Structure formats: C-alpha cells, structure tokens
Amino acid sequence: MSIGMHEVIEIAVEAGNAILEVYHAGDVEVQYKEDQSPLTIADQRSHDVIFRKLAEQTPEIPVLSEEGGELAYEQRVDWERFWLIDPLDGTKEFIKGNGEFAINIALVENGIPILGVIYAPVLDVVYFAEQGEGAYKLEGVKNKTDFSQDSISLPILSNRTKTSVVTSRSHLSQETKDYIRRLEQHVGEVELTSAGSALKMCLVAEGKADVYPRFGPTMEWDTCAGHAIMLEVGGDIIQVDSHQPLQYNKQDLLNPWFIVRREGFVGI
C-alpha cells in the first residue's frame, strides 16, 4: 500500500477544512435522503476530497463512501481490501452547530477494520489506529507537522469510580434507557455522558467511558474507523444478539444493534 497513516490524517484534515468552510458560512441548506437522514453540501465536498485523494494515492484499493452513490453488492462482494468512509459523520450535529461531528476513514481487509482515522475538525482532534501499531489521540492537528510526535497513546488511565456510559446526543432510544437501567442493577449507579457521531466510540477508546450501547440504526461507515481504534486498545464492538463482532461489506451495509466495550468491562 502506497499510503501511510500521516497521509490518511492529512486527507482527513483537508476534508475537514472543506467542511468548515460551509460550517462557518452558516445558513446551511439541508436536503433529506430516502431514509430521511439529512444531507448538506458539506457532506459532498468532504466526500469529493477524500475520494479524489485516496484514488490518487491508492488507485488499487476501491472506495466505499456514504455519499458515493449506490454500489451493487455484486460489484464489491469479492473485495478483499477497501476504504470505507463517512465524509461527515454526525450531520445532525453539524446542522445544530455544536461541533460534535467527524470524518471517518477506515481500511478494511477481509472484513476486518485494520486502519481507522476519526477527525473532528471543529475540535481539531484526531483519533487513529493501525493494526498492530496501537491507537492514539492528537490534539491541535493543524499545527503539527509530525503526527507521531505529541500523540497520546490510548487508552488513558482513569481514576473513575463509577461505570461511565456514553450515549448518542441525537438518538437516545427507549432500548438504550432500558439497557442503562439493567446495567445499574448489575454495577450500581452509573455516570452518563452524551456525544455526537463516532466521537462516542473515541470516548470509550480513550478511557473516558466504559461502554457505549447503540440500540438504533447505523451503517457500516458509522462504526468501521472506530472499530479499528477499539481493537487496538483491547476493546471490542459486539452485536447485541449474537455477541459476535460487527461485520463489514455485508449486502445491506446495515449494522445490527451493538455495544462498544472497553477492555475488561464487566457489565452486561
């Protein structure tokens, strides 16, 4: 592969700059897809940057993007390695203007995420991991020329005494509330925090939360980069029903309900 982590992060930052131009201009026009999920020009501009850059630097690796148009399963079923990207994860947070949106870039090999980059352009923070190389967090990305320098290895030790649960800022389902109640019966009082986009998984990877339950619809591009990061910190993402890891490049690209858990989490 003719691309390294440094270059992938640079692509995410460039896409983030394209998003911020729209974000700071204000008065964003919102369209809605068939599934009623929101779409803005920022989603498409970010997609254009990432798709073009990956095609230039890794022409041998196909790209599957949320905004890349419909791609039949028959066209991708035999892909052994491919990029899976969400150009603007957390469009609802983007529209609300709270800054909790991110760019997700993941590399999948034989159905397993082997590289993940999650960049939050408003916060200017990136989380990244590569198989066998560990997971890291870097703040103030735009002022850095060497991303390996100043990066913090994850997870970060925490002195929390209560189990911490992170939930979606925009999608708190009744099933999630029920899960939290069952967890409290098992571990006692829990701390709740909320966040947007894939940053919820980053909080678990970082050690600021123990678990992120998601009892609601998500797509593979929502989780893949975060999954790569979780694997490198010793955590996992399991399907609620089967307790098996999430799978990628399925026919419908739809994730089942899942739970993101830090290493050693003893809850339900």
Side-chain angles (χ1 to χ4, degrees):
M1 187 173 64
S2 58
I3 191 171
M5 180 62 74
H6 187 104
E7 288 78 16
V8 180
I9 294 174
E10 285 185 332
I11 291 171
V13 171
E14 184 175 341
N17 289 336
I19 289 173
L20 290 179
E21 288 180 6
V22 180
Y23 184 73
H24 293 311
D27 193 24
V28 178
E29 181 180 349
V30 181
Q31 300 176 341
Y32 289 89
K33 306 177 191 178
E34 290 185 4
D35 64 359
Q36 295 305 303
S37 59
L39 175 69
T40 72
I41 188 62
D43 297 76
Q44 190 60 52
R45 289 184 181 179
S46 177
H47 163 83
D48 291 344
V49 169
I50 300 169
F51 191 89
R52 173 172 51 83
K53 289 289 187 177
L54 290 178
E56 288 174 357
Q57 298 191 44
T58 59
E60 75 283 5
I61 304 177
V63 179
L64 182 60
S65 168
E66 178 179 11
E67 310 307 339
E70 196 71 25
L71 191 62
Y73 182 60
E74 291 73 20
Q75 294 177 262
R76 54 183 172 82
V77 63
D78 294 324
W79 287 357
E80 294 183 1
R81 175 180 281 199
F82 67 98
W83 294 105
L84 182 56
I85 64 174
D86 190 340
L88 204 173
D89 180 36
T91 303
K92 289 185 178 180
E93 315 307 327
F94 175 87
I95 295 167
K96 292 175 183 176
N98 64 22
E100 291 186 350
F101 53 87
I103 294 157
N104 300 343
I105 303 177
L107 183 63
V108 181
E109 188 174 83
N110 297 320
I112 298 173
I114 63 169
L115 179 151
V117 170
I118 297 175
Y119 176 60
V122 170
L123 305 176
D124 196 24
V125 58
V126 65
Y127 297 82
F128 59 97
E130 188 171 2
Q131 190 176 63
E133 300 294 332
Y136 302 89
K137 174 186 179 181
L138 177 63
E139 298 179 300
V141 183
K142 293 178 182 177
N143 295 323
K144 302 293 192 299
T145 56
D146 181 358
F147 297 143
S148 62
Q149 187 176 3
D150 300 324
S151 296
I152 301 171
S153 179
L154 301 180
I156 302 169
L157 294 179
S158 171
N159 58 2
R160 288 183 290 102
T161 57
K162 296 179 182 178
T163 297
S164 176
V165 181
V166 61
T167 62
S168 173
R169 193 173 295 284
S170 298
H171 306 275
L172 185 58
S173 66
Q174 183 59 49
E175 290 84 357
T176 303
K177 296 176 183 177
D178 293 341
Y179 172 86
I180 293 170
R181 281 196 290 268
R182 294 196 305 273
L183 182 62
E184 287 179 321
Q185 294 173 355
H186 185 71
V187 301
E189 185 180 0
V190 304
E191 297 176 334
L192 296 180
T193 186
S194 60
S197 70
L199 295 174
K200 295 181 288 294
M201 285 184 281
C202 294
L203 291 178
V204 180
E206 190 173 348
K208 290 183 177 179
D210 297 293
V211 61
Y212 159 42
R214 182 55 184 254
F215 296 85
T218 61
M219 302 300 289
E220 292 183 11
W221 43 68
D222 295 314
T223 58
C224 195
H227 199 162
I229 293 169
M230 286 303 303
L231 290 174
E232 285 301 299
V233 297
D236 57 18
I237 304 180
I238 60 166
Q239 302 175 40
V240 169
D241 291 337
S242 68
H243 285 210
Q244 295 300 308
L246 289 183
Q247 300 297 311
Y248 295 92
N249 203 23
K250 301 187 304 300
Q251 185 165 357
D252 60 2
L253 298 172
L254 182 66
N255 288 326
W257 291 353
F258 62 84
I259 297 175
V260 181
R261 312 181 299 186
R262 67 162 174 80
E263 183 178 23
F265 176 67
V266 295
I268 59 175

